C-alpha cells in the first residue's frame, strides 16, 4: 500500500510540474482518501491551489500539513506566503517568526518577515528584520529596496536614499528602486535629479502609472506645467481610474492658467470619485478664478456639509474665499495639519541667552511677490544691536529678479534652500540656534509647513503671508491687531495673538508710485466718468459681490468699473454675468498687468474709489490703493481675510469707509460718487493721513514688532508658556 501511495505521489508531482493541475489534484485526493495525513499530498495540493491563485484553499491544505509536521520549513514558508496572499497578514507573520526561530540564518525568511511587518505597518520591526536579512546576505537587492521603503516610511530620508542607491548598485535595472530614489530626492526638493531618476525608471519599465505620476508631480514643482500634464495623461492612459493623477492634472492646468480645461478635468474626475480628497475644493476654487458661478451655491453647501462630517474636501487657503466662517477655517486648518504636517519634534529649551536674538524668516516668496514687496524694508531696519536676521529661502527666483537682489542685501544671512527637505531645513535652523522662526507663507503655495512641524526654533510665529490660523499646536503666535482678531474671535485661532498697535500689515516706505503720468485715454477709461476699481484676484469675486456692484453702477449712471483682467476666461464670464443684469460691457474696463510695481501704483491714482471684495478682502492691493491716495470702501467680515481692509482703514484714521452690511456698502459707494463735497473731503483726509498716519510708518512698525519679539523671547527664557500679547503703541521705543 505504501509503495502504491508513493507511486501515486510521484506521478502527481510530475503532473503538477507539467502544469496538469487537475490530473495531479485527482491523484492527490485519492491518496488522501486512503491516508488523510499524507504530508506530501497535502503540501502539493496547497501548491496547486496557490499556483492557481486559490489562496484560501491553499491555506487549508498547508495548515493540515502543519498539524502533521509543525516545524517543516518549506511548508511553513508556503503557508506564510499563502496567508499573506489571502490577506491574513497577522497569521502569515506568526509563521515567518517561527521560521526565523527555527532557522535564524535563513536570509530569505528574515526578508519575508520584514516584508510582512511592513505590510502590517510595523516599520521598526520591518527594518530590524530586513537588516538581519542583509547581514546574512548583503547582495540581496530586493532586501535593500524594501529597506529603503521602510526607512522612507519612518521619515529617515537620507538613509532611505542610501538604501535605494545600494539597490541600484546591485541591480541597475530595478525600476522601483530608481522610482524610490526619485521620490526621496523629490522630498529633498532636489527636483532635477529626481526627474532624472523617474526618467530612468520609465526607461526600464514604461508601464508603471505611478512613476509617470511622480514625474508629473516633479514637473509641476518645476513649473513645467505642460510637460507635467503630458506625464499625468500617460499615467491616466495606463490606469484610467488613477484619480489622484486626474486631480493633479487639473491642478497643473489651473496653475498654467488653463482654467476652463482644469474645470472640465475636475468635473470628469468627480464622475469617477466625487469624494476624492480636496477635489471639490479645488473645483470650486478654479471656478472662482474664472468667475464661473454656475451651481456654486449648491457646491458650497455640499462642501460645508462634508466639512461638518470631517471629510477632507478643501485646503485652508482655498477655503478663505469660499465662506466667511472663521470656525470652519480653523477646523479645515487643523485637519490639514493633522493629515499633512503632524508635529514631529519639540526641541528642548535653549540653555543660554544669545548676545543677539536670532530671527529666521522663512518664505518661498523672496522674489517679485506681494509678500516680498511689503517686507523688504522690515529686514533692513531690524536693530542689528539686538537682532541677527536670517532668510530661509524655500524657492528659487529668476536670476535677474530685482527684488531678490535687494532682499539679499537686507539680511545678515541669506540661505538658498530650495533643494532641501523640510526636515533638513528645520535641522539647519536648530544648528544655527534660531530663536524665533517666522513663517511668512503659512498655507500658501510652495510653503513648507513641515519645517515648523519639526520645530525649527523654540518660538514659532505665523505672520503676513497667510490670513488665518495655521491650526497647528507648534505655531505659538500669530501677528494681528484688534481689528483683525477681536477678543471674541480668539477662539478661532490655535495660536496666541501678538497684537500690533494700529494695523498688523507692514509696507516698504521706499515703494512709491513712479513718475509716469498715465492718462485715462491710454487706459481705456472715459474722461469724465466716476471710476470705481477693484484690482483683486479673480477668486475673490462672487455673485453676491457682483450684484452689489450692479446696484451701484445702476445708481450712478456716469460710472465705470475698472478691474484687473486676471485671465481671459474671467473677462468673458464677468462680462456675461454683468450683461445678465443689463450692465453694458463698455462700463466694465479691464486693466492689464504692468511689470513694474511702481508703475502700477502710479496707474492706481487714476481711479476714484476702490471697491473691496467680501468675504476675502483686498490685502496688498488695498495697501496699493491707499498709498496711491485712492479711498477704499470695505464690507468687513468675521474672518481674518475679511477684516484686513478695515484694519488698514483704521490705521489711516479712515473708519468712515468701513461698512458692516451689504446695503451700507452699496449706499456709501453711491454717496461717494454722487456727493462731490463728501468725496473731496474723504479724498483730502486720506492724502493727509497717508503721510502723517501710522500705516505707512515702516520704522515705527518695525520697532513695535521688535518689541513683540523681545517680549515673547523673554517669556520663553523664563519658562513661561505663550500667551496673548498686546503691544502698546503709545510707548516710546
Amino acid at each position: 500500500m505504501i509503495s502504491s501511495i508513493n507511486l501515486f505521489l510521484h506521478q502527481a508531482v510530475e503532473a503538477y510540474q507539467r502544469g496538469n493541475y487537475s490530473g495531479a489534484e485527482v491523484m492527490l485526493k485519492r491518496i488522501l482518501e486512503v491516508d488523510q495525513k499524507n504530508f506530501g499530498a497535502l503540501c502539493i495540493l496547497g501548491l496547486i491551489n496557490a499556483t492557481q491563485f486559490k489562496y484560501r484553499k491553499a491555506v487549508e491544505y498547508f495548515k493540515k500539513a502543519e498539524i502533521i509536521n509543525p516545524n517543516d520549513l518549506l511548508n511553513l514558508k508556503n503557508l506564510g506566503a499563502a496567508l499573506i496572499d489571502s490577506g491574513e497578514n497577522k497569521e502569515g507573520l506568526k509563521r515567518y517568526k517561527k521560521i526565523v526561530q527555527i532557522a535564524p540564518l535563513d536570509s530569505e525568511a528574515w526578508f519575508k518577515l520584514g516584508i510582512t511587518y511592513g505590510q502590517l505597518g510595523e516599520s521598526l520591526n520591518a527594518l530590524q528584520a530586513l537588516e538581519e536579512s542583509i547581514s546574512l546576505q548583503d547582495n540581496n537587492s530586493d532586501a535593500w529596496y524594501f529597506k529603503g521603503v521602510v526607512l522612507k516610511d519612518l521619515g529617515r530620508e537620507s538613509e532611505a536614499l542610501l538604501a535605494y542607491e545600494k539597490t541600484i548598485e546591485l541591480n541597475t535595472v530595478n525600476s522601483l528602486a530608481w522610482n524610490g530614489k526619485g521620490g526621496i530626492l523629490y522630498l529633498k526638493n532636489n527636483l532635477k535629479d529626481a526627474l532624472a531618476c523617474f526618467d530612468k525608471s520609465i526607461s526600464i519599465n514604461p508601464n508603471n502609472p505611478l512613476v509617470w505620476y511622480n514625474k508629473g508631480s516633479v514637473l509641476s514643482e518645476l513649473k513645467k506645467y505642460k510637460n507635467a500634464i503630458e506625464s499625468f495623461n500617460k499615467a491616466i492612459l495606463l490606469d484610467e481610474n488613477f484619480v489622484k493623477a486626474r486631480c493633479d492634472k487639473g491642478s497643473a492646468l489651473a496653475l498654467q492658467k488653463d482654467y476652463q480645461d482644469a474645470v472640465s478635468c475636475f468635473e470628469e474626475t468627480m464622475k469617477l470619485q466625487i469624494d476624492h480628497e480636496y477635489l471639490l475644493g479645488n473645483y470650486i476654487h478654479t471656478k472662482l478664478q474664472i468667475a464661473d458661478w454656475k451651481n456654486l451655491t449648491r457646491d458650497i453647501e455640499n462642501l460645508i456639509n462634508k466639512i461638518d462630517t470631517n471629510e477632507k474636501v478643501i485646503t485652508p487657503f482655498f477655503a478663505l474665499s469660499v465662506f466667511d466662517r472663521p470656525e470652519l477655517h480653523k477646523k479645515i486648518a487643523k485637519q490639514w495639519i493633522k493629515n499633512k504636517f503632524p508635529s514631529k519634534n519639540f526641541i528642548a529649551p535653549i540653555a543660554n541667552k544669545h548676545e543677539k536674538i536670532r530671527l529666521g524668516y522663512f518664505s518661498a516668496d523672496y522674489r517679485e511677490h506681494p509678500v516680498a514687496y511689503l517686507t523688504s524694508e522690515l529686514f533692513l531696519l531690524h536693530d542689528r544691536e539686538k537682532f541677527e536676521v536670517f532668510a530661509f529661502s524655500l524657492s528659487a527666483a529668476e536670476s535677474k529678479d530685482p527684488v531678490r537682489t535687494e532682499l539679499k542685501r537686507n539680511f545678515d544671512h541669506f540661505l538658498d534652500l530650495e533643494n532641501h527637505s523640510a526636515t533638513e531645513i528645520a535641522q539647519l535652523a536648530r544648528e544655527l540656534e534660531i530663536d524665533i522662526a517666522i513663517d511668512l507663507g503659512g498655507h500658501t503655495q510652495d510653503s513648507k509647513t513641515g519645517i515648523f512641524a519639526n520645530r525649527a526654533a523654540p518660538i514659532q510665529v505665523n505672520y503676513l503671508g497667510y490670513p488665518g490660523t495655521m491650526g497647528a499646536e507648534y505655531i505659538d503666535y500669530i501677528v494681528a491687531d484688534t481689528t483683525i482678531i477681536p477678543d471674541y474671535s480668539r477662539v478661532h485661532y490655535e495660536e496666541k495673538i501678538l497684537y500690533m498697535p494700529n494695523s498688523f500689515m507692514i509696507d516698504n516706505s521706499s515703494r512709491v508710485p513712479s513718475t509716469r503720468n498715465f492718462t485715462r485715454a491710454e487706459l481705456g477709461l472715459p474722461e469724465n466718468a466716476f471710476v470705481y476699481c477693484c484690482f483683486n484676484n479673480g477668486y475673490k469675486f462672487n455673485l453676491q459681490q457682483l450684484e452689489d456692484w450692479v446696484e451701484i453702477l445702476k445708481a450712478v449712471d456716469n460710472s465705470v468699473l475698472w478691474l484687473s483682467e486676471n485671465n481671459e476666461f474671467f473677462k468673458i464670464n464677468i462680462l456675461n454675468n454683468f450683461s445678465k443684469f443689463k450692465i453694458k460691457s463698455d462700463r466694465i474696463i479691464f486693466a492689464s498687468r504692468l511689470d513694474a510695481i511702481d508703475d502700477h501704483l502710479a496707474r492706481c491714482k487714476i481711479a476714484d474709489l476702490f471697491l473691496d471684495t467680501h468675504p476675502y478682502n483686498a490685502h496688498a492691493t488695498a495697501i496699493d490703493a491707499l498709498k496711491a491716495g485712492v479711498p477704499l470702501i470695505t464690507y468687513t467680515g468675521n474672518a481674518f481675510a475679511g477684516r484686513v481692509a478695515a484694519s488698514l482703514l483704521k490705521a489711516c484714521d479712515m473708519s468712515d469707509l468701513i461698512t458692516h452690511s451689504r446695503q451700507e456698502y452699496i449706499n456709501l459707494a453711491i454717496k461717494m460718487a454722487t456727493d462731490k463735497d463728501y468725496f473731496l473731503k474723504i479724498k483730502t483726509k486720506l492724502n493727509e493721513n497717508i503721510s502723517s498716519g501710522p500705516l505707512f510708518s515702516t520704522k515705527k512698525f518695525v520697532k513695535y514688532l521688535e518689541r513683540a519679539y523681545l517680549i515673547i523671547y523673554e517669556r520663553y527664557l523664563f519658562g513661561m508658556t505663550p500667551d496673548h500679547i498686546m503691544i502698546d503703541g503709545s510707548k516710546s521705543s
Side-chain angles (χ1 to χ4, degrees):
M1 178 64 74
I2 293 174
S3 60
S4 297
I5 289 174
N6 288 338
L7 177 62
F8 258 66
L9 189 60
H10 180 71
Q11 291 173 341
V13 170
E14 287 183 337
Y16 166 69
Q17 292 172 340
R18 292 196 305 271
N20 182 7
Y21 301 138
S22 59
E25 194 167 6
V26 168
M27 287 184 277
L28 292 166
K29 286 183 177 179
R30 286 181 183 176
I31 293 172
L32 291 177
E33 288 175 2
V34 177
D35 181 7
Q36 295 180 2
K37 296 183 178 182
N38 189 290
F39 183 76
L42 291 167
C43 289
I44 297 167
L45 277 167
L47 287 171
I48 289 171
N49 281 278
T51 303
Q52 298 179 92
F53 311 110
K54 300 175 182 177
Y55 298 119
R56 295 192 181 279
K57 195 68 177 175
V59 166
E60 291 180 22
Y61 286 115
F62 290 139
K63 280 187 173 181
K64 289 178 181 179
E66 182 186 33
I67 293 171
I68 297 166
N69 190 347
N71 294 325
D72 184 88
L73 288 175
L74 182 58
N75 185 63
L76 283 170
K77 289 180 179 181
N78 289 333
L79 174 57
L83 285 164
I84 299 299
D85 288 332
S86 65
E88 298 182 58
N89 290 352
K90 290 184 178 180
E91 286 297 309
L93 181 70
K94 290 179 182 178
R95 271 57 178 196
Y96 286 125
K97 289 171 73 172
K98 185 174 182 180
I99 292 167
V100 297
Q101 289 176 348
I102 297 170
L105 300 181
D106 189 329
S107 172
E108 183 67 14
W110 282 105
F111 171 67
K112 291 290 181 64
L113 178 62
I115 297 299
T116 307
Y117 270 128
Q119 291 172 330
L120 289 167
E122 298 184 35
S123 297
L124 285 174
N125 287 332
L127 180 61
Q128 291 173 0
L130 290 167
E131 288 180 335
E132 188 68 31
S133 174
I134 290 169
S135 72
L136 295 167
Q137 185 183 352
D138 68 355
N139 64 347
N140 184 340
S141 64
D142 288 340
W144 279 104
Y145 168 71
F146 282 105
K147 179 181 178 181
V149 172
V150 171
L151 285 165
K152 181 182 177 183
D153 289 342
L154 288 168
R156 292 159 63 173
E157 296 155 4
S158 297
E159 293 174 78
L161 182 60
L162 293 174
Y164 288 134
E165 289 176 340
K166 181 65 175 180
T167 306
I168 292 166
E169 178 187 323
L170 294 168
N171 181 6
T172 58
V173 293
N174 187 323
S175 65
L176 293 178
W178 283 106
N179 181 56
K181 180 180 177 180
I184 296 297
L185 293 172
Y186 175 61
L187 289 174
K188 289 178 173 290
N189 220 32
N190 187 347
L191 301 179
K192 291 183 180 178
D193 288 345
L195 183 60
C197 288
F198 294 136
D199 280 336
K200 180 66 175 178
S201 179
I202 287 168
S203 72
I204 298 166
N205 176 16
N207 297 316
N208 187 336
L210 179 60
V211 187
W212 283 103
Y213 168 78
N214 289 340
K215 179 179 178 179
S217 298
V218 171
L219 289 165
S220 282
E221 289 288 332
L222 290 168
K223 297 181 170 47
K224 297 180 178 180
Y225 301 121
K226 181 179 179 181
N227 294 350
I229 292 161
E230 291 173 355
S231 291
F232 291 137
N233 281 337
K234 186 65 177 178
I236 294 164
L237 184 64
L238 292 167
D239 179 3
E240 63 180 14
N241 294 316
F242 199 158
V243 174
K244 180 62 174 169
R246 290 178 179 272
C247 287
D248 287 9
K249 174 188 172 181
S251 295
L253 285 164
L255 287 167
Q256 74 169 11
K257 303 189 186 306
D258 285 342
Y259 296 114
Q260 195 62 59
D261 288 344
V263 168
S264 298
C265 181
F266 289 137
E267 287 175 344
E268 288 299 314
T269 306
M270 286 191 286
K271 292 177 184 177
L272 289 176
Q273 187 181 341
I274 192 169
D275 291 329
H276 187 78
E277 289 186 0
Y278 307 110
L279 173 56
L280 182 56
N282 289 346
Y283 173 62
I284 289 172
H285 184 75
T286 307
K287 290 183 72 176
L288 286 173
Q289 290 274 24
I290 59 174
D292 177 1
W293 304 321
K294 183 179 179 182
N295 298 323
L296 200 58
T297 300
R298 180 201 65 189
D299 290 337
I300 291 174
E301 287 177 357
N302 186 23
L303 184 82
I304 292 173
N305 289 335
K306 291 179 180 295
I307 294 168
D308 288 340
T309 56
N310 298 312
E311 294 182 53
K312 291 175 274 188
V313 288
I314 191 168
T315 62
F317 180 74
F318 287 0
L320 300 180
S321 56
V322 177
F323 38 69
D324 183 32
R325 294 181 57 180
E327 75 280 5
L328 289 187
H329 294 160
K330 179 180 179 181
K331 183 174 184 178
I332 292 163
K334 285 174 67 68
Q335 182 194 65
W336 179 260
I337 288 292
K338 179 180 178 181
N339 288 286
K340 300 288 185 179
F341 306 106
S343 176
K344 297 291 181 63
N345 179 40
F346 288 89
I347 64 175
I350 51 179
N352 299 304
K353 185 176 181 180
H354 295 131
E355 182 180 346
K356 299 179 182 180
I357 297 176
R358 297 176 185 177
L359 303 177
Y361 286 95
F362 295 74
S363 178
D365 299 318
Y366 290 133
R367 53 188 172 85
E368 287 193 291
H369 184 278
V371 168
Y373 292 144
L374 297 174
T375 57
S376 177
E377 194 176 15
L378 162 65
F379 312 129
L380 176 66
L381 291 176
H382 271 309
D383 185 345
R384 286 333 197 247
E385 292 186 2
K386 297 177 181 177
F387 300 96
E388 187 174 2
V389 191
F390 296 73
F392 290 76
S393 176
L394 311 180
S395 184
E398 297 293 332
S399 58
K400 296 182 180 179
D401 188 306
V403 178
R404 180 81 150 209
T405 302
E406 179 185 344
L407 285 167
K408 285 189 172 183
R409 294 195 298 264
N410 292 355
F411 283 97
D412 298 316
H413 313 276
F414 194 97
L415 308 173
D416 289 293
L417 300 169
E418 46 267 16
N419 291 327
H420 293 71
S421 70
T423 302
E424 290 171 336
I425 295 171
Q427 182 59 40
L428 174 61
R430 290 197 292 269
E431 290 171 0
L432 292 171
E433 296 186 347
I434 297 299
D435 296 308
I436 304 175
I438 303 100
D439 181 8
L440 293 174
H443 293 308
T444 60
Q445 187 180 354
D446 297 330
S447 294
K448 291 185 177 179
T449 306
I451 294 168
F452 306 95
N454 281 280
R455 267 285 168 181
I459 306 168
Q460 301 192 139
V461 179
N462 168 18
Y463 179 49
L464 193 65
Y466 176 73
T469 181
M470 288 295 291
E473 61 179 5
Y474 47 76
I475 302 295
D476 304 297
Y477 297 96
I478 182 172
V479 179
D481 57 61
T482 55
T483 301
I484 294 292
I485 307 177
D487 288 354
Y488 62 80
S489 195
R490 288 177 179 178
V491 67
H492 303 310
Y493 296 82
E494 192 71 13
E495 306 91 338
K496 298 300 182 183
I497 320 301
L498 281 178
Y499 283 106
M500 294 295 103
N502 309 305
S503 176
F504 81 105
M505 282 193 82
I506 187 171
D507 184 43
N508 182 344
S509 64
S510 65
R511 198 173 66 95
V512 295
S514 71
T515 57
R516 184 172 172 183
N517 291 316
F518 288 92
T519 65
R520 287 196 169 194
E522 70 180 290
L523 297 171
L525 296 167
E527 286 295 333
N528 299 314
F530 189 91
V531 178
Y532 294 107
C533 75
C534 181
F535 298 132
N536 287 355
N537 283 313
Y539 61 81
K540 295 185 180 182
F541 290 58
N542 54 63
L543 180 58
Q544 188 176 83
Q545 187 70 70
L546 184 128
E547 290 174 346
D548 293 346
W549 289 344
V550 165
E551 189 169 340
I552 294 166
L553 290 172
K554 286 184 175 180
V556 183
D557 292 332
N558 189 29
S559 65
V560 295
L561 180 59
W562 192 22
L563 307 174
S564 292
E565 62 181 358
N566 286 304
N567 59 77
E568 59 178 311
F569 308 106
F570 172 85
K571 289 172 64 176
I572 293 168
N573 287 331
I574 278 290
L575 289 175
N576 288 337
N577 281 310
F578 271 112
S579 70
K580 293 175 183 176
F581 294 94
K582 309 302 182 186
I583 300 295
K584 293 181 179 180
S585 60
D586 62 359
R587 299 189 67 187
I588 311 300
I589 317 296
F590 293 99
S592 58
R593 177 180 170 79
L594 293 176
D595 291 333
I597 186 64
D598 59 345
D599 282 345
H600 170 66
L601 291 172
R603 179 176 63 174
C604 286
K605 293 181 177 182
I606 299 294
D608 292 306
L609 181 65
F610 192 110
L611 296 177
D612 197 14
T613 48
H614 177 89
Y616 200 140
N617 287 175
H619 292 187
T621 47
I623 285 272
D624 292 345
L626 295 172
K627 174 168 275 194
V630 179
L632 176 148
I633 293 176
T634 189
Y635 164 24
T636 191
N638 298 306
F640 193 130
R643 301 180 67 84
V644 170
S647 168
L648 300 176
L649 288 168
K650 284 186 178 180
C652 290
D653 191 22
M654 301 297 295
S655 295
D656 289 349
L657 299 181
I658 301 170
T659 67
H660 301 88
S661 71
R662 293 177 63 191
Q663 196 57 55
E664 187 184 355
Y665 172 94
I666 293 165
N667 293 343
L668 182 56
I670 295 169
K671 181 178 182 180
M672 290 285 282
T674 56
D675 187 337
K676 291 183 179 180
D677 290 339
Y678 182 73
F679 175 76
L680 183 60
K681 175 185 173 183
I682 291 293
K683 182 96 171 172
T684 302
K685 181 180 178 183
L686 174 62
N687 281 292
E688 291 174 350
N689 292 353
I690 288 172
S691 57
S692 62
L695 180 60
F696 297 109
S697 180
T698 310
K699 289 183 180 179
K700 283 186 179 180
F701 181 90
V702 174
K703 293 300 181 184
Y704 296 145
L705 188 61
E706 288 180 341
R707 192 181 301 160
Y709 289 159
L710 288 166
I711 291 171
I712 62 177
Y713 181 64
E714 290 295 330
R715 287 180 62 87
Y716 180 79
L717 289 178
F718 284 107
M720 302 170 71
T721 58
D723 201 355
H724 305 297
I725 305 294
M726 187 76 69
I727 303 303
D728 187 352
S730 65
K731 291 183 179 179
S732 60
S733 300

